Amino acid sequence: MHIPRHRAVHTADAIRASLDGAGWGSIAADTPILYGGSVTSANIGEFLAEPAIDGALVGGASLKPDEMAGIVARAGITARARGLAG
């Protein structure tokens, strides 16, 4: 099931707020948050474009070479746009 992007962002923000509330302080802001929903080459870009989401866990799509290649390609484009690729 695909979670709407805004819900995924709100969830990431809630996780960071919970970590901060648990006393993690500044570490909470630096903790990577991964999206773990239905990731495809068609939707990975919208999730990775969100500053609150640091990556994705790819499930069934990883078993399809063409789909996984599309996910990796889109992730690379997004990483370069965010200044994360070297």
Side-chain angles (χ1 to χ4, degrees):
M1 181 175 142
H2 174 71
I3 296 177
R5 182 174 78 194
H6 69 277
R7 269 192 41 205
V9 171
H10 290 298
T11 301
D13 291 340
I15 291 168
R16 285 203 173 88
S18 294
L19 293 173
D20 186 51
W24 285 44
S26 64
I27 295 172
D30 295 332
T31 298
I33 304 293
L34 305 179
Y35 174 72
S38 227
V39 176
T40 67
S41 59
N43 68 17
I44 188 66
E46 67 185 86
F47 291 106
L48 296 181
E50 293 293 341
I53 299 172
D54 300 301
L57 299 172
V58 180
S62 68
L63 301 175
K64 302 171 187 170
D66 291 342
E67 187 66 16
M68 190 62 195
I71 291 170
V72 171
R74 181 61 195 195
I77 291 166
T78 303
R80 282 189 297 280
R82 289 174 76 176
L84 302 174

